[in-house]
Amino acid sequence: MDWHSFLIVIHLIGTALGVGGATFAEIFIVKALRDGVIDPIESSFLKVTYRVIRTGLSLLVISGFGFLVISRMTGFEERLLSPLLWSKLAIVVIILVNAILLQTRKIPLALGSALSLSSWYAAMLIIPLRSVIKGVNAGFVEIMLWYVVLVIVMMVILAGIKKVLKLFVE
Amino acid sequence: MKNILRTLFVSIIVSMPSAFFAQAKEDPIPKTGFIALIAAHVVLGIIGIAALYAMTMALLRKIPSTTILRLSSVTALVSFVASWITGGIYYVLYYGGAVKPAILSGSNPFAHSFFMETKEHLFLFLPFFSLVLVAVSFFAGDLISKDTRVRYALCGISGLGVLIGIFSTLSGVIISGSV
């Protein structure tokens, strides 16, 4: 197995852990906040999920930069200035900053959780959708604008889910 | 003095097996030794930034875990020093002779003249920030949970370290992409 294949495996494992973890973190938070209180058992589930997300993010970042080193060393430097790559890097930075803002309660949970979930799915889907993105010649700004749209849509969806669940509880 | 130190440093390094670390000429595809150096520089740098980020998140809690603070600060210090050494060797033996001229004569000369020059100086904060964090974690660990001013001050240092680290990393991407 060459380095590139090894890094792909690590990157996919990181994606599964990160995106899966972020999805379940959101499900657990919605479920836990149905009664307005997060009890110790719910809190322990969330802690484990966050640990899984952090593990996934670590694997993704290290393997991701491994790809960049390989690109540089095999003569494909132009990939390092690609709008797709820079959009992904920006989204990873948003994930990191969002986590800090959520921890310090400087951001409403509704916005923070929508940002987190949208960011993970956007980062996952950017590469599979690259043929579409390249086809419409989208640059960094256009990709990030679509990302903002995704965040807004996600906020609306999550708000709707929470409202429906609240009706069931009542 | 700078020239003497530089000559001493280079003479120590080039005494290593020359087949592995041959002096770079204008070769855009480096030898295995240089690939290993740049890979180590990148990975160690990212581990250092991740450790500082973990420390920032730990310090944001009301009662930070002393174990996590000590482990993450030591990891950050060791990683940044190792990244510094590997990056320095790579710069002196390869980048300066083969990559820098290519960037300066290419379409994005600012990649070296701004981003690399800034990175070279800004990253120096990171090992010393980490050293401060190690010192406080090990010698005044109790003070961190008792005094919020100390906690916030350390959080500021580690947070600033994360920002500098992210800037350095993204600068590295721009520099490598401009070859």
PDB file of all heavy atoms in Angstrom, chain B residues 96-132:
ATOM      1  N   GLY B  96      16.112  27.215   0.583  1.00  0.00           N
ATOM      2  CA  GLY B  96      16.852  28.421   0.216  1.00  0.00           C
ATOM      3  C   GLY B  96      17.466  28.342  -1.186  1.00  0.00           C
ATOM      4  O   GLY B  96      17.470  29.326  -1.927  1.00  0.00           O
ATOM      5  N   GLY B  97      17.956  27.137  -1.564  1.00  0.00           N
ATOM      6  CA  GLY B  97      18.642  26.990  -2.838  1.00  0.00           C
ATOM      7  C   GLY B  97      17.732  26.610  -3.988  1.00  0.00           C
ATOM      8  O   GLY B  97      17.947  27.008  -5.127  1.00  0.00           O
ATOM      9  N   ALA B  98      16.680  25.847  -3.698  1.00  0.00           N
ATOM     10  CA  ALA B  98      15.871  25.290  -4.795  1.00  0.00           C
ATOM     11  C   ALA B  98      14.475  25.898  -4.913  1.00  0.00           C
ATOM     12  O   ALA B  98      13.981  26.123  -6.008  1.00  0.00           O
ATOM     13  CB  ALA B  98      15.729  23.775  -4.618  1.00  0.00           C
ATOM     14  N   VAL B  99      13.859  26.159  -3.772  1.00  0.00           N
ATOM     15  CA  VAL B  99      12.442  26.564  -3.808  1.00  0.00           C
ATOM     16  C   VAL B  99      12.270  28.081  -3.844  1.00  0.00           C
ATOM     17  O   VAL B  99      11.500  28.615  -4.641  1.00  0.00           O
ATOM     18  CB  VAL B  99      11.682  25.980  -2.597  1.00  0.00           C
ATOM     19  CG1 VAL B  99      10.202  26.339  -2.658  1.00  0.00           C
ATOM     20  CG2 VAL B  99      11.854  24.469  -2.536  1.00  0.00           C
ATOM     21  N   LYS B 100      13.018  28.765  -2.984  1.00  0.00           N
ATOM     22  CA  LYS B 100      12.884  30.226  -2.892  1.00  0.00           C
ATOM     23  C   LYS B 100      13.096  30.931  -4.237  1.00  0.00           C
ATOM     24  O   LYS B 100      12.274  31.758  -4.640  1.00  0.00           O
ATOM     25  CB  LYS B 100      13.854  30.746  -1.831  1.00  0.00           C
ATOM     26  CG  LYS B 100      13.855  32.251  -1.628  1.00  0.00           C
ATOM     27  CD  LYS B 100      14.853  32.599  -0.537  1.00  0.00           C
ATOM     28  CE  LYS B 100      15.272  34.055  -0.639  1.00  0.00           C
ATOM     29  NZ  LYS B 100      16.316  34.392   0.359  1.00  0.00           N
ATOM     30  N   PRO B 101      14.162  30.596  -4.996  1.00  0.00           N
ATOM     31  CA  PRO B 101      14.337  31.266  -6.294  1.00  0.00           C
ATOM     32  C   PRO B 101      13.177  30.986  -7.248  1.00  0.00           C
ATOM     33  O   PRO B 101      12.761  31.855  -8.007  1.00  0.00           O
ATOM     34  CB  PRO B 101      15.642  30.666  -6.844  1.00  0.00           C
ATOM     35  CG  PRO B 101      16.327  30.075  -5.683  1.00  0.00           C
ATOM     36  CD  PRO B 101      15.267  29.666  -4.727  1.00  0.00           C
ATOM     37  N   ALA B 102      12.634  29.749  -7.181  1.00  0.00           N
ATOM     38  CA  ALA B 102      11.514  29.375  -8.048  1.00  0.00           C
ATOM     39  C   ALA B 102      10.274  30.206  -7.709  1.00  0.00           C
ATOM     40  O   ALA B 102       9.555  30.667  -8.602  1.00  0.00           O
ATOM     41  CB  ALA B 102      11.196  27.878  -7.903  1.00  0.00           C
ATOM     42  N   ILE B 103      10.021  30.418  -6.422  1.00  0.00           N
ATOM     43  CA  ILE B 103       8.850  31.204  -6.013  1.00  0.00           C
ATOM     44  C   ILE B 103       9.031  32.671  -6.397  1.00  0.00           C
ATOM     45  O   ILE B 103       8.124  33.302  -6.949  1.00  0.00           O
ATOM     46  CB  ILE B 103       8.606  31.089  -4.487  1.00  0.00           C
ATOM     47  CG1 ILE B 103       8.210  29.654  -4.114  1.00  0.00           C
ATOM     48  CG2 ILE B 103       7.520  32.060  -4.043  1.00  0.00           C
ATOM     49  CD1 ILE B 103       8.062  29.416  -2.621  1.00  0.00           C
ATOM     50  N   LEU B 104      10.229  33.206  -6.125  1.00  0.00           N
ATOM     51  CA  LEU B 104      10.461  34.634  -6.388  1.00  0.00           C
ATOM     52  C   LEU B 104      10.412  34.955  -7.880  1.00  0.00           C
ATOM     53  O   LEU B 104      10.060  36.067  -8.260  1.00  0.00           O
ATOM     54  CB  LEU B 104      11.804  35.071  -5.790  1.00  0.00           C
ATOM     55  CG  LEU B 104      11.840  35.150  -4.259  1.00  0.00           C
ATOM     56  CD1 LEU B 104      13.248  35.440  -3.759  1.00  0.00           C
ATOM     57  CD2 LEU B 104      10.883  36.232  -3.747  1.00  0.00           C
ATOM     58  N   SER B 105      10.747  33.977  -8.708  1.00  0.00           N
ATOM     59  CA  SER B 105      10.708  34.231 -10.155  1.00  0.00           C
ATOM     60  C   SER B 105       9.381  33.792 -10.780  1.00  0.00           C
ATOM     61  O   SER B 105       9.188  33.934 -11.979  1.00  0.00           O
ATOM     62  CB  SER B 105      11.868  33.508 -10.846  1.00  0.00           C
ATOM     63  OG  SER B 105      11.784  32.123 -10.589  1.00  0.00           O
ATOM     64  N   GLY B 106       8.488  33.256  -9.957  1.00  0.00           N
ATOM     65  CA  GLY B 106       7.199  32.754 -10.463  1.00  0.00           C
ATOM     66  C   GLY B 106       6.106  33.806 -10.440  1.00  0.00           C
ATOM     67  O   GLY B 106       6.375  35.003 -10.346  1.00  0.00           O
ATOM     68  N   SER B 107       4.845  33.334 -10.497  1.00  0.00           N
ATOM     69  CA  SER B 107       3.716  34.261 -10.576  1.00  0.00           C
ATOM     70  C   SER B 107       3.273  34.790  -9.203  1.00  0.00           C
ATOM     71  O   SER B 107       2.521  35.750  -9.136  1.00  0.00           O
ATOM     72  CB  SER B 107       2.537  33.573 -11.269  1.00  0.00           C
ATOM     73  OG  SER B 107       2.258  32.349 -10.625  1.00  0.00           O
ATOM     74  N   ASN B 108       3.711  34.141  -8.128  1.00  0.00           N
ATOM     75  CA  ASN B 108       3.316  34.578  -6.781  1.00  0.00           C
ATOM     76  C   ASN B 108       4.536  34.836  -5.882  1.00  0.00           C
ATOM     77  O   ASN B 108       4.723  34.141  -4.895  1.00  0.00           O
ATOM     78  CB  ASN B 108       2.425  33.512  -6.107  1.00  0.00           C
ATOM     79  CG  ASN B 108       1.170  33.193  -6.886  1.00  0.00           C
ATOM     80  OD1 ASN B 108       0.582  34.063  -7.510  1.00  0.00           O
ATOM     81  ND2 ASN B 108       0.775  31.937  -6.853  1.00  0.00           N
ATOM     82  N   PRO B 109       5.354  35.826  -6.215  1.00  0.00           N
ATOM     83  CA  PRO B 109       6.551  36.071  -5.393  1.00  0.00           C
ATOM     84  C   PRO B 109       6.219  36.471  -3.960  1.00  0.00           C
ATOM     85  O   PRO B 109       7.015  36.244  -3.049  1.00  0.00           O
ATOM     86  CB  PRO B 109       7.275  37.215  -6.127  1.00  0.00           C
ATOM     87  CG  PRO B 109       6.244  37.844  -6.991  1.00  0.00           C
ATOM     88  CD  PRO B 109       5.243  36.791  -7.330  1.00  0.00           C
ATOM     89  N   PHE B 110       4.981  37.015  -3.747  1.00  0.00           N
ATOM     90  CA  PHE B 110       4.563  37.404  -2.389  1.00  0.00           C
ATOM     91  C   PHE B 110       4.498  36.187  -1.464  1.00  0.00           C
ATOM     92  O   PHE B 110       4.520  36.326  -0.239  1.00  0.00           O
ATOM     93  CB  PHE B 110       3.187  38.097  -2.414  1.00  0.00           C
ATOM     94  CG  PHE B 110       2.067  37.240  -2.933  1.00  0.00           C
ATOM     95  CD1 PHE B 110       1.391  36.352  -2.093  1.00  0.00           C
ATOM     96  CD2 PHE B 110       1.704  37.297  -4.274  1.00  0.00           C
ATOM     97  CE1 PHE B 110       0.376  35.544  -2.587  1.00  0.00           C
ATOM     98  CE2 PHE B 110       0.688  36.500  -4.763  1.00  0.00           C
ATOM     99  CZ  PHE B 110       0.031  35.612  -3.921  1.00  0.00           C
ATOM    100  N   ALA B 111       4.398  34.993  -2.060  1.00  0.00           N
ATOM    101  CA  ALA B 111       4.331  33.776  -1.237  1.00  0.00           C
ATOM    102  C   ALA B 111       5.594  33.651  -0.382  1.00  0.00           C
ATOM    103  O   ALA B 111       5.532  33.228   0.780  1.00  0.00           O
ATOM    104  CB  ALA B 111       4.177  32.531  -2.116  1.00  0.00           C
ATOM    105  N   HIS B 112       6.739  34.067  -0.959  1.00  0.00           N
ATOM    106  CA  HIS B 112       7.950  34.070  -0.143  1.00  0.00           C
ATOM    107  C   HIS B 112       8.128  35.414   0.561  1.00  0.00           C
ATOM    108  O   HIS B 112       8.330  35.450   1.781  1.00  0.00           O
ATOM    109  CB  HIS B 112       9.205  33.785  -0.969  1.00  0.00           C
ATOM    110  CG  HIS B 112      10.442  33.894  -0.144  1.00  0.00           C
ATOM    111  ND1 HIS B 112      10.917  32.871   0.653  1.00  0.00           N
ATOM    112  CD2 HIS B 112      11.275  34.954   0.087  1.00  0.00           C
ATOM    113  CE1 HIS B 112      11.985  33.285   1.324  1.00  0.00           C
ATOM    114  NE2 HIS B 112      12.226  34.541   1.005  1.00  0.00           N
ATOM    115  N   SER B 113       8.049  36.503  -0.234  1.00  0.00           N
ATOM    116  CA  SER B 113       8.405  37.819   0.322  1.00  0.00           C
ATOM    117  C   SER B 113       7.482  38.248   1.457  1.00  0.00           C
ATOM    118  O   SER B 113       7.915  38.976   2.356  1.00  0.00           O
ATOM    119  CB  SER B 113       8.431  38.884  -0.782  1.00  0.00           C
ATOM    120  OG  SER B 113       7.190  38.910  -1.455  1.00  0.00           O
ATOM    121  N   PHE B 114       6.224  37.799   1.461  1.00  0.00           N
ATOM    122  CA  PHE B 114       5.346  38.130   2.585  1.00  0.00           C
ATOM    123  C   PHE B 114       5.113  36.924   3.494  1.00  0.00           C
ATOM    124  O   PHE B 114       5.435  36.950   4.677  1.00  0.00           O
ATOM    125  CB  PHE B 114       3.992  38.682   2.103  1.00  0.00           C
ATOM    126  CG  PHE B 114       3.051  38.946   3.233  1.00  0.00           C
ATOM    127  CD1 PHE B 114       3.237  40.034   4.076  1.00  0.00           C
ATOM    128  CD2 PHE B 114       1.991  38.089   3.505  1.00  0.00           C
ATOM    129  CE1 PHE B 114       2.399  40.270   5.157  1.00  0.00           C
ATOM    130  CE2 PHE B 114       1.136  38.316   4.582  1.00  0.00           C
ATOM    131  CZ  PHE B 114       1.340  39.404   5.400  1.00  0.00           C
ATOM    132  N   PHE B 115       4.524  35.860   2.922  1.00  0.00           N
ATOM    133  CA  PHE B 115       4.091  34.749   3.773  1.00  0.00           C
ATOM    134  C   PHE B 115       5.245  34.001   4.433  1.00  0.00           C
ATOM    135  O   PHE B 115       5.192  33.699   5.616  1.00  0.00           O
ATOM    136  CB  PHE B 115       3.196  33.793   2.973  1.00  0.00           C
ATOM    137  CG  PHE B 115       1.826  34.335   2.738  1.00  0.00           C
ATOM    138  CD1 PHE B 115       1.472  34.888   1.518  1.00  0.00           C
ATOM    139  CD2 PHE B 115       0.879  34.335   3.756  1.00  0.00           C
ATOM    140  CE1 PHE B 115       0.210  35.420   1.312  1.00  0.00           C
ATOM    141  CE2 PHE B 115      -0.382  34.861   3.562  1.00  0.00           C
ATOM    142  CZ  PHE B 115      -0.713  35.407   2.334  1.00  0.00           C
ATOM    143  N   MET B 116       6.298  33.690   3.679  1.00  0.00           N
ATOM    144  CA  MET B 116       7.402  32.955   4.298  1.00  0.00           C
ATOM    145  C   MET B 116       8.163  33.839   5.279  1.00  0.00           C
ATOM    146  O   MET B 116       8.514  33.400   6.382  1.00  0.00           O
ATOM    147  CB  MET B 116       8.371  32.434   3.221  1.00  0.00           C
ATOM    148  CG  MET B 116       9.535  31.625   3.799  1.00  0.00           C
ATOM    149  SD  MET B 116       9.025  30.309   4.916  1.00  0.00           S
ATOM    150  CE  MET B 116       9.481  28.885   3.997  1.00  0.00           C
ATOM    151  N   GLU B 117       8.400  35.067   4.881  1.00  0.00           N
ATOM    152  CA  GLU B 117       9.117  35.981   5.773  1.00  0.00           C
ATOM    153  C   GLU B 117       8.326  36.194   7.069  1.00  0.00           C
ATOM    154  O   GLU B 117       8.915  36.224   8.166  1.00  0.00           O
ATOM    155  CB  GLU B 117       9.364  37.326   5.067  1.00  0.00           C
ATOM    156  CG  GLU B 117      10.324  37.250   3.889  1.00  0.00           C
ATOM    157  CD  GLU B 117      11.762  36.958   4.297  1.00  0.00           C
ATOM    158  OE1 GLU B 117      12.104  37.093   5.491  1.00  0.00           O
ATOM    159  OE2 GLU B 117      12.551  36.573   3.420  1.00  0.00           O
ATOM    160  N   THR B 118       7.014  36.362   6.953  1.00  0.00           N
ATOM    161  CA  THR B 118       6.188  36.551   8.153  1.00  0.00           C
ATOM    162  C   THR B 118       6.197  35.288   8.998  1.00  0.00           C
ATOM    163  O   THR B 118       6.363  35.341  10.228  1.00  0.00           O
ATOM    164  CB  THR B 118       4.728  36.880   7.753  1.00  0.00           C
ATOM    165  OG1 THR B 118       4.731  37.949   6.829  1.00  0.00           O
ATOM    166  CG2 THR B 118       3.900  37.243   8.963  1.00  0.00           C
ATOM    167  N   LYS B 119       6.030  34.147   8.335  1.00  0.00           N
ATOM    168  CA  LYS B 119       5.991  32.856   9.034  1.00  0.00           C
ATOM    169  C   LYS B 119       7.287  32.597   9.806  1.00  0.00           C
ATOM    170  O   LYS B 119       7.260  32.121  10.935  1.00  0.00           O
ATOM    171  CB  LYS B 119       5.779  31.764   7.985  1.00  0.00           C
ATOM    172  CG  LYS B 119       5.446  30.411   8.527  1.00  0.00           C
ATOM    173  CD  LYS B 119       5.291  29.431   7.359  1.00  0.00           C
ATOM    174  CE  LYS B 119       5.276  28.044   7.928  1.00  0.00           C
ATOM    175  NZ  LYS B 119       5.643  26.961   7.170  1.00  0.00           N
ATOM    176  N   GLU B 120       8.425  32.925   9.158  1.00  0.00           N
ATOM    177  CA  GLU B 120       9.724  32.690   9.785  1.00  0.00           C
ATOM    178  C   GLU B 120       9.847  33.390  11.129  1.00  0.00           C
ATOM    179  O   GLU B 120      10.515  32.915  12.037  1.00  0.00           O
ATOM    180  CB  GLU B 120      10.850  33.265   8.906  1.00  0.00           C
ATOM    181  CG  GLU B 120      11.285  32.417   7.752  1.00  0.00           C
ATOM    182  CD  GLU B 120      12.313  33.157   6.914  1.00  0.00           C
ATOM    183  OE1 GLU B 120      13.236  33.768   7.488  1.00  0.00           O
ATOM    184  OE2 GLU B 120      12.175  33.135   5.678  1.00  0.00           O
ATOM    185  N   HIS B 121       9.216  34.545  11.228  1.00  0.00           N
ATOM    186  CA  HIS B 121       9.347  35.329  12.454  1.00  0.00           C
ATOM    187  C   HIS B 121       8.218  35.059  13.429  1.00  0.00           C
ATOM    188  O   HIS B 121       8.437  34.942  14.635  1.00  0.00           O
ATOM    189  CB  HIS B 121       9.424  36.825  12.108  1.00  0.00           C
ATOM    190  CG  HIS B 121      10.627  37.177  11.298  1.00  0.00           C
ATOM    191  ND1 HIS B 121      10.638  37.123   9.920  1.00  0.00           N
ATOM    192  CD2 HIS B 121      11.878  37.526  11.667  1.00  0.00           C
ATOM    193  CE1 HIS B 121      11.847  37.442   9.485  1.00  0.00           C
ATOM    194  NE2 HIS B 121      12.613  37.689  10.520  1.00  0.00           N
ATOM    195  N   LEU B 122       7.010  34.918  12.890  1.00  0.00           N
ATOM    196  CA  LEU B 122       5.845  34.758  13.762  1.00  0.00           C
ATOM    197  C   LEU B 122       5.860  33.427  14.509  1.00  0.00           C
ATOM    198  O   LEU B 122       5.436  33.354  15.668  1.00  0.00           O
ATOM    199  CB  LEU B 122       4.577  34.870  12.902  1.00  0.00           C
ATOM    200  CG  LEU B 122       3.336  35.421  13.552  1.00  0.00           C
ATOM    201  CD1 LEU B 122       3.585  36.787  14.156  1.00  0.00           C
ATOM    202  CD2 LEU B 122       2.218  35.530  12.519  1.00  0.00           C
ATOM    203  N   PHE B 123       6.351  32.369  13.844  1.00  0.00           N
ATOM    204  CA  PHE B 123       6.294  31.044  14.473  1.00  0.00           C
ATOM    205  C   PHE B 123       7.154  30.982  15.737  1.00  0.00           C
ATOM    206  O   PHE B 123       6.929  30.125  16.595  1.00  0.00           O
ATOM    207  CB  PHE B 123       6.734  29.948  13.489  1.00  0.00           C
ATOM    208  CG  PHE B 123       8.194  29.632  13.564  1.00  0.00           C
ATOM    209  CD1 PHE B 123       8.670  28.635  14.400  1.00  0.00           C
ATOM    210  CD2 PHE B 123       9.101  30.371  12.838  1.00  0.00           C
ATOM    211  CE1 PHE B 123      10.030  28.372  14.480  1.00  0.00           C
ATOM    212  CE2 PHE B 123      10.456  30.115  12.924  1.00  0.00           C
ATOM    213  CZ  PHE B 123      10.917  29.114  13.752  1.00  0.00           C
ATOM    214  N   LEU B 124       8.146  31.895  15.816  1.00  0.00           N
ATOM    215  CA  LEU B 124       9.049  31.880  16.980  1.00  0.00           C
ATOM    216  C   LEU B 124       8.311  32.029  18.304  1.00  0.00           C
ATOM    217  O   LEU B 124       8.809  31.609  19.350  1.00  0.00           O
ATOM    218  CB  LEU B 124      10.096  32.994  16.843  1.00  0.00           C
ATOM    219  CG  LEU B 124      11.210  32.715  15.832  1.00  0.00           C
ATOM    220  CD1 LEU B 124      11.990  33.988  15.549  1.00  0.00           C
ATOM    221  CD2 LEU B 124      12.140  31.629  16.342  1.00  0.00           C
ATOM    222  N   PHE B 125       7.126  32.663  18.262  1.00  0.00           N
ATOM    223  CA  PHE B 125       6.334  32.785  19.488  1.00  0.00           C
ATOM    224  C   PHE B 125       5.908  31.421  20.027  1.00  0.00           C
ATOM    225  O   PHE B 125       5.785  31.230  21.233  1.00  0.00           O
ATOM    226  CB  PHE B 125       5.051  33.600  19.216  1.00  0.00           C
ATOM    227  CG  PHE B 125       5.269  35.081  19.150  1.00  0.00           C
ATOM    228  CD1 PHE B 125       5.285  35.737  17.927  1.00  0.00           C
ATOM    229  CD2 PHE B 125       5.457  35.826  20.301  1.00  0.00           C
ATOM    230  CE1 PHE B 125       5.483  37.109  17.859  1.00  0.00           C
ATOM    231  CE2 PHE B 125       5.655  37.196  20.241  1.00  0.00           C
ATOM    232  CZ  PHE B 125       5.670  37.832  19.022  1.00  0.00           C
ATOM    233  N   LEU B 126       5.679  30.478  19.091  1.00  0.00           N
ATOM    234  CA  LEU B 126       5.019  29.233  19.497  1.00  0.00           C
ATOM    235  C   LEU B 126       5.810  28.397  20.508  1.00  0.00           C
ATOM    236  O   LEU B 126       5.230  27.989  21.530  1.00  0.00           O
ATOM    237  CB  LEU B 126       4.660  28.395  18.257  1.00  0.00           C
ATOM    238  CG  LEU B 126       3.651  29.065  17.310  1.00  0.00           C
ATOM    239  CD1 LEU B 126       3.397  28.210  16.084  1.00  0.00           C
ATOM    240  CD2 LEU B 126       2.345  29.331  18.034  1.00  0.00           C
ATOM    241  N   PRO B 127       7.088  28.109  20.279  1.00  0.00           N
ATOM    242  CA  PRO B 127       7.805  27.320  21.290  1.00  0.00           C
ATOM    243  C   PRO B 127       7.861  28.022  22.651  1.00  0.00           C
ATOM    244  O   PRO B 127       7.773  27.366  23.694  1.00  0.00           O
ATOM    245  CB  PRO B 127       9.209  27.165  20.712  1.00  0.00           C
ATOM    246  CG  PRO B 127       9.083  27.464  19.272  1.00  0.00           C
ATOM    247  CD  PRO B 127       7.951  28.431  19.141  1.00  0.00           C
ATOM    248  N   PHE B 128       7.955  29.347  22.625  1.00  0.00           N
ATOM    249  CA  PHE B 128       8.085  30.074  23.893  1.00  0.00           C
ATOM    250  C   PHE B 128       6.750  30.233  24.601  1.00  0.00           C
ATOM    251  O   PHE B 128       6.680  30.202  25.836  1.00  0.00           O
ATOM    252  CB  PHE B 128       8.808  31.404  23.659  1.00  0.00           C
ATOM    253  CG  PHE B 128      10.208  31.186  23.179  1.00  0.00           C
ATOM    254  CD1 PHE B 128      10.527  31.284  21.834  1.00  0.00           C
ATOM    255  CD2 PHE B 128      11.203  30.810  24.062  1.00  0.00           C
ATOM    256  CE1 PHE B 128      11.812  31.029  21.377  1.00  0.00           C
ATOM    257  CE2 PHE B 128      12.489  30.546  23.627  1.00  0.00           C
ATOM    258  CZ  PHE B 128      12.798  30.655  22.279  1.00  0.00           C
ATOM    259  N   PHE B 129       5.674  30.366  23.842  1.00  0.00           N
ATOM    260  CA  PHE B 129       4.332  30.319  24.444  1.00  0.00           C
ATOM    261  C   PHE B 129       4.161  28.971  25.132  1.00  0.00           C
ATOM    262  O   PHE B 129       3.671  28.886  26.264  1.00  0.00           O
ATOM    263  CB  PHE B 129       3.242  30.468  23.364  1.00  0.00           C
ATOM    264  CG  PHE B 129       2.930  31.882  22.972  1.00  0.00           C
ATOM    265  CD1 PHE B 129       3.587  32.955  23.543  1.00  0.00           C
ATOM    266  CD2 PHE B 129       1.958  32.149  22.021  1.00  0.00           C
ATOM    267  CE1 PHE B 129       3.296  34.256  23.180  1.00  0.00           C
ATOM    268  CE2 PHE B 129       1.650  33.450  21.652  1.00  0.00           C
ATOM    269  CZ  PHE B 129       2.317  34.504  22.219  1.00  0.00           C
ATOM    270  N   SER B 130       4.559  27.894  24.417  1.00  0.00           N
ATOM    271  CA  SER B 130       4.407  26.541  24.960  1.00  0.00           C
ATOM    272  C   SER B 130       5.236  26.386  26.229  1.00  0.00           C
ATOM    273  O   SER B 130       4.805  25.736  27.186  1.00  0.00           O
ATOM    274  CB  SER B 130       4.851  25.489  23.943  1.00  0.00           C
ATOM    275  OG  SER B 130       4.226  25.710  22.722  1.00  0.00           O
ATOM    276  N   LEU B 131       6.421  26.976  26.224  1.00  0.00           N
ATOM    277  CA  LEU B 131       7.299  26.887  27.407  1.00  0.00           C
ATOM    278  C   LEU B 131       6.636  27.545  28.620  1.00  0.00           C
ATOM    279  O   LEU B 131       6.659  27.003  29.733  1.00  0.00           O
ATOM    280  CB  LEU B 131       8.626  27.583  27.099  1.00  0.00           C
ATOM    281  CG  LEU B 131       9.768  27.365  28.099  1.00  0.00           C
ATOM    282  CD1 LEU B 131      10.100  25.891  28.225  1.00  0.00           C
ATOM    283  CD2 LEU B 131      11.013  28.142  27.653  1.00  0.00           C
ATOM    284  N   VAL B 132       6.019  28.680  28.400  1.00  0.00           N
ATOM    285  CA  VAL B 132       5.293  29.375  29.480  1.00  0.00           C
ATOM    286  C   VAL B 132       4.162  28.494  29.995  1.00  0.00           C
ATOM    287  O   VAL B 132       3.973  28.328  31.206  1.00  0.00           O
ATOM    288  CB  VAL B 132       4.730  30.725  28.975  1.00  0.00           C
ATOM    289  CG1 VAL B 132       3.716  31.298  29.948  1.00  0.00           C
ATOM    290  CG2 VAL B 132       5.868  31.709  28.747  1.00  0.00           C
TER     291      VAL B 132
END
